[in-house]
């Protein structure tokens, strides 16, 4: 019931940069979010530096605790386990993306949301492409003009290619 996210991992020093740990109950409700500047695997445990812990308490309240350095004995996930579960936003499920977005919003870390939100919105928007192509392409293909139906098909094809490039450009810009 724990998700790890980190900007980078150095296998030589066994150090994570900007790791985040999101813990939840068995029912999936948020339990604790841990944000740190750095974490190092030493002597069979994680040592966290620059820690900020957001703990869920009764009534939906969140308590925040900070520490310069600490460890959490209950967190026993080894580096090799984390590497096996390493996922990019494209590899995450929509449910995982929504969970990360909610955790970041609760913690007030909105500057790191762009890539997650862009990927999630793209997943909702992209399936509509087929409908939009049909909606625009059918009338263009059916129009009978002096230049023939080939002109309408060419325009529709140009619009589809333009939409595809524009979609990829905005997806890349949203993740930057």
């Amino acid at each position: 019931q724990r998700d790890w996210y980190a900007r980078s991992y150095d296998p030589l020093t066994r150090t994570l940069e900007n790791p985040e740990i999101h813990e939840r109950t068995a029912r999936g409700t948020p339990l604790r979010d841990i944000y740190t500047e750095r974490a190092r695997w030493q002597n069979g445990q994680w040592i966290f530096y620059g820690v900020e812990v957001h703990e869920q308490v009764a009534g939906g309240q969140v308590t925040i605790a900070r520490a310069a350095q600490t460890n959490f004995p209950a967190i026993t996930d080894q580096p090799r386990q984390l590497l096996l579960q390493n996922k990019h936003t494209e590899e995450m499920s929509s449910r995982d993306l929504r969970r990360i977005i909610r955790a970041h919003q609760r913690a007030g870390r909105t500057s790191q949301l762009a890539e997650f939100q862009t990927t999630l919105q793209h997943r909702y928007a992209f399936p509509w492409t087929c409908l939009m192509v049909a909606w625009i392409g059918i009338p263009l293909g059916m129009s009978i003009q002096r230049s023939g139906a080939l002109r309408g098909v060419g325009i529709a094809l140009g619009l589809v290619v333009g939409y595809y490039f524009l979609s990829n450009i905005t997806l890349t810009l949203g993740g930057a």
Side-chain angles (χ1 to χ4, degrees):
Q1 306 300 328
R2 185 179 300 128
D3 294 321
W4 287 72
Y5 303 98
R7 180 162 299 174
S8 65
Y9 174 69
D10 183 357
L12 297 175
T13 61
R14 294 181 167 185
T15 303
L16 290 167
E17 292 297 324
N18 297 102
E20 300 176 10
I21 304 167
H22 303 285
E23 295 180 324
R24 58 192 181 287
T25 63
R27 286 188 259 150
T29 58
L31 181 64
R32 177 171 54 179
D33 297 320
I34 302 169
Y35 301 96
T36 69
E37 294 172 7
R38 189 169 40 96
R40 173 177 274 153
W41 181 258
Q42 272 179 274
N43 302 325
Q45 65 179 352
W46 286 103
I47 306 297
F48 298 95
Y49 304 92
V51 181
E52 188 174 291
V53 180
H54 297 247
E55 189 104 26
Q56 299 290 327
V57 293
Q61 297 290 331
V62 177
T63 61
I64 300 174
R66 292 178 177 84
Q69 178 180 338
T70 189
N71 69 338
F72 296 93
I75 299 178
T76 58
D77 303 336
Q78 296 182 12
R80 61 183 154 84
Q81 293 171 313
L82 300 179
L83 289 175
L84 292 175
Q85 298 172 1
N86 186 19
K87 294 181 182 178
H88 294 287
T89 55
E90 306 87 39
E91 298 169 339
M92 292 181 190
S93 68
S94 296
R95 181 179 179 192
D96 289 339
L97 287 168
R98 284 191 300 271
R99 189 179 321 125
I100 292 169
I101 291 168
R102 278 194 308 268
H104 276 74
Q105 287 171 336
R106 278 194 319 268
R109 294 175 173 251
T110 56
S111 64
Q112 299 172 351
L113 284 175
E115 183 178 4
F116 300 119
Q117 288 176 327
T118 304
T119 303
L120 182 64
Q121 293 303 321
H122 184 266
R123 287 196 184 158
Y124 293 135
F126 193 73
W128 289 94
T129 304
C130 294
L131 181 62
M132 295 306 293
V133 167
W135 186 60
I136 292 171
I138 289 174
L140 287 172
M142 291 178 62
S143 67
I144 299 174
Q145 297 176 349
R146 205 168 182 186
S147 59
L150 192 57
R151 178 175 178 236
V153 171
I155 292 172
L157 186 60
L159 288 172
V160 168
V161 170
Y163 174 80
Y164 177 75
F165 283 122
L166 184 62
S167 174
N168 283 334
I169 289 169
T170 55
L171 185 62
T172 302
L173 289 175

